[in-house]
Structure formats: structure tokens, C-alpha cells
Amino acid sequence: MSHQQIDQFAHRLDKGVRDSVLGGSAAGTEKRRQVLFGDLPNADSLRALAGRIKQHTLEHLDRYLEAAEERLIDNGAKVHFAWDAASACQQVETLLRERGVRQVTKSKTMVSEEIELNRHLAEKGFDLVETDLGEFIVQLDGDHPSHVVKPIIHKNRSQIAKTFERCGLGDYNDDPETITRRAREYMRRKYLSAEASITGANFVSAESGRLCIVTNEGNSRFGLAGARVHIALVGIEKLVPDDRSLSLMLNLLGRSATGQNLTVYTEFIRGPRQPEAISGPEEMHVIFVNAGRTETLASDCREILRCIRCGACMNVCPVYRQSSGHAYRSVYPGPLGAVLSPLLAGSARFAEFADLPKASSLCGACNEVCPVDIPIPDLLLRLRDRAHREHAPAAFDDAPNLKPWAMLAKSPAAWRMSLRAANMLNIVPLGFLPFGPLGRWTSQRTLPSWRGGRYRQWAAERKKQKNNPS
Amino acid sequence: MNDRARIFSAINDALTPLQERAALPELDPAQWVCPSRLTEGGSWEDFRRNFEAVNGTFLTSFEALSRLLRDANATEGYADPGLLEELPETFRDGLTLHETIDRGSIDRYAFGITRAHAAIAESGTVILRDLDTPDRLAALAPWIHITLVAKEALFSNVTEAIDDLGEDPNTVWVTGPSKTADVEGILIEGVHGPGIQVCLPI
Ligand code: SF4
């Protein structure tokens, strides 16, 4: 078996999980493509345009972040900044504590996964419930999401039914409709009793300070209808210059993520509710989180910060489909994670994830579906190069030693001899090739018959004929 | 240095070495209007088709709405007090209408009737604003959510609706019933919000 961690994980993967991930990620790929190109025949140029808008925003982040901050303050929101995970968790805790909040609802936010907010708040005694159905199940299981849009793609209905039974949410019943209704009943009490609701944001418009949050379930909306305090955790890369850009991004996001022209609930939040409104938070806090983003911005892979978390790249990735999201050992799986995780880990921990950029066949499918046209294969190559330059041990797992090849290639005589000797390959069975990575490679593959040296032979004969035309 | 100063300083350090910075491209929103969704010129007919495609229930009369509520056995619900005048007597007969939502017993409301600010033909979306929807819960807690929207308040496409966002602190676009496909990719409607989303232009 391979020494690469991701291959080992895939090898050990339970068959049920593999089938769920494979089926779940492949399903709908064609539909998403049809919806995107059926609705927007010029989708490829729109993807490029969206990419340029995000690239521009990132390269002027100082200006846009400051503008968004000003707008939000004008609109009555409070704005905070968190350098790293510890600071972000601490600030959320302080906001909750100062307001006497114990019960909290939270809708899906990937940045909260990065900073491990749930663990932090649970340790401090807060009662936090995830309201997105998939995230709720992940929370009940003490598990982690394995896809940015479909958090429980790795679970089947029977596992979920067992979880509900274990957690007192009814007798075993694996009917998806029953599972959903039970979550609905449980969650509405929580929405109404929670004093605060935590969300992320898909986009923030620097022009208006508007946060844009999309969900299909309506959980974020319900959470914010019930609570009096809203805390939004937002990565600093979530900005777009203006509301018009939002219109393009929304048109691409739903179609790329789930094949919908728009997600069911698309919320635009400028600030706290008006005094005369009956429901909605009286207080709104936005925490802009860095957690490794500025270091990524300084790298030659800053394009990855354009990502709008649609999940399309993981759905089409042959490595993700076979190995599952958890194989990437980090919050972000798939091609996105193979680039982003080593970068967000920062220079101090880059080496830990230096094998991830190798988890790709460089087929380019991820780039073809990315709504912001991130050149993921190029970024993977840059990171492979960096891992080699920094001598990160994980980058060398299973990498064949090229020194003997280099020696042969440098000596014409040795090269000629080796070409002839390699004819043995046609006689010796592949399974007899004993050594390391090559042996592991050939154990699952066949080779075409060896024809090495034919060209030289042909060229030599031709030369002879030319010299002696008869 | 506090976190804010640290972040801005790090952004500065990251961007200063860039010799060139990407320019903001020209945006022409006509490029992302979907012609195949607007075959009737951005009319209510387009809205109906696109709204029904996301399992929305499009109705054109209060009689049809009465039938829907009767079939669903829904007799008790919420109606925005500002809309009571718009509801014909014959429609109200036999219904118990509350003008507020009691958070202690939200399950008693089988339906909620609220005013939509507008609708979007291209996407089959209804637009709810805090200014027009006094209690957000009315559009979320009941199984059936009914939006009444003025016939003249129809945007052709998404960009027109974005341009109209204005000053309201909270606007939500609703495109069909609340739904999930988290369990094995199987579509289930009515997760947290309404399972039936009705739109009736008035
Ligand atoms: S990298 Fe592109 S395709 Fe992948 S999740 Fe991000 S936006 Fe989507």
C-alpha cells in the first residue's frame, strides 16, 4: 500500500462511507452543468469575470475592508477584528457573557469550524445548537463535516437514524422525511429560546456593508428571527466591491453548488433590526477573522482566497470521490482544501499538510467548474514546488528517487544500454518488480510492451541508407 | 498592536510588493440575465413558471387560496394587520386570524399571510423586507406561508432587485419552500421554514 497519508486513509475507508461519498459527490454533476450553461450560455466568461472581481477585491483588500467596516458602523452594527482562532473564540465568548447569554443557535459557517468555536463554547458551558440539519447531525455525533455544502455526505440514513435514537429524538426510523420532521420539531424550540444566533456570511458588500447569507433550509433566517443578538463570523476575504457584484456572484453560487438558480433563502443584512420591528436581533456584531488569510494573501497562491465555498471542485474531483473529505485532515477538503489547508496552516505548520497538494491527478476538472475560475492545478504545482524547496518530509512520501534516472539520462552510452536492458520488462512479470513506490505502482497497473530503442534503430538505418543509396 | 491594526498591517505587507494590482472589471448586468427564463418578457407568466419550477404555489384568486387552506385543514393562522383590509369577507369566513404571533404557541399557526415587497420573474422569488413584514416569524414558523404582492411590484431580473435593496436593515429573498437534501441527497421540503410557499398577486 502507498505511504501517502491520503491513500492510506482511502484504503482503510469503510465501504459504506466510500459508496456514500462517491454517490453523493457524483450525483447532480450533470444537472449543475446543464442549469449553469442552459441559463447562462456565456457561463465561462462569467466565471472569469467573477474571478477578476474577487481578485481585484483581494488586491485592494485594505481599502474594501475599511469601507465595509465604516458602512457597517454607520448602519448600527458593531465591528470587531480577530487575528487568529483563539482571539475569535474569545471575542465571541466575551460578547455572549457580557450579555448574559447561555443559549445560542448557529447556522453553518466554515470559519467557525476553522476556529473550533463549538468546542470552545461547549467547554465554557454554553448551550449551542447547530441548526443546519447536516451540521446538527455532525454535532450530535461529535464528528466533522466532510464537504463544504453537504456536511454529512459520508453518512447514510441508517447511521443518522441510530444517532437520533441514541440522542432521544425518537425511536429508530430511517425515513428521511421523518428524520427531517423530528429535527424541525426539536429546532423550533431552540430558535425561540436562544438569546443569540451565530452565522457566517457568504459575501459582504463593501459599498453598502450588506452581509449576504444563503441557506436552503431557512435555518439562519429562523435563528435570526428568534434571537436578540446576532454575531456574524466573517473571513476577511468574503468581501465584494459592491451590490452589483453580489448579483453576479449569487447567479453563479447557487447553480455551481446545487444546480439552483438561487438558493431558497438569500438574506441581505445591513444592521440590527429597526426599533419598531417585532422580531430580529437588536444587536449585530460582525467579527472579521484573519486566521491565516493575510499570510495566504502574501503568498503566490492568493487566488485561492477568491473561493466562494460552492463545493463544485470536490464534487468533480476523482481523488475526493474515492477518499472522502476526512482524508484531507482539515476543515476544507477536496481540491480547495489541498490548496487552502496548507496555506491557512501558516508557515509554522505548512509541512504538516505538505502532502495534500499531491492529492490530485491535475486533471483540471476543478478549474473547469469553479465559479470564480481559480486555477487550482497551477496552485497545486506551486505548492508542490514550495514543499520540495522547504524539504517538507510529507512531500516526499512515495516520490520515486529520480537520481538514478538523472545519471542515465546524462550519459548517452548508459542510456543506450539501459534501453536495451529494459527489453527484459517484456519477459519478467510486473509483479516481480520489487522496489518501493514502483512496486506499489505496478501492483495495480499493467504496462504496454516495451519498445525502447526502436527510434534509434530506425534513425541509424535511415542514416545508413542516405549514405549508401543503392 | 490590537487585532485590527495587526490585520491591516499584514494586508499592507502582503500587497505592497505587488507590482500591479488587478483592476475592477466593467460590469454589464445584461450579461447574466437568463433569456431562457424570461420568454414572456419578464411578466407574471415568467414568474409563475419559474416559481412553480421551485415548487412554489402560484395562485390568482382568494377562492383558490380558500380551497388550498380547506384541503390542508388549515383554519387558524396569522395575517399581517396591515393586510386585513385586502382580505375579502368571503375568504375570512371560517378562518381564525391572529394579528400577532405568540412565541409561546407557534405551532397553532397553520398559515401566515404577509406582504411581499416585490417579486422577481427571472428566478421565481418573493422579496420580504422588515419594513413590510412586522414579524419575521410569521413567514417562517407556519407550514403554509402566503405572500400577497402588488401586481405592479414585479422585477424582471435579479440585478433590478439588487438595485432596489435600499436602506432596510433586513431583506430576504425566498425562492420556494424551505428544503434540504442533506440525508442521502433526497429532497425534503419544509425543514425549518414553510413546506408550502404561496404567492398571490393582488
Ligand atoms: S475552489 Fe472554486 S469550485 Fe472549489 S469550493 Fe471554492 S469556489 Fe467552489
Side-chain angles (χ1 to χ4, degrees), chain A residues 148 253 256 304 306-314 335-336 366-367 369-374 376:
Chain A
V148 294
L253 175 58
S256 303
I304 198 65
R306 294 182 202 163
C307 173
I308 57 173
R309 311 283 190 265
C310 73
C313 57
M314 43 209 83
L336 159 66
C366 46
N367 176 229
V369 294
C370 178
V372 281
D373 196 26
I374 301 176
I376 296 174

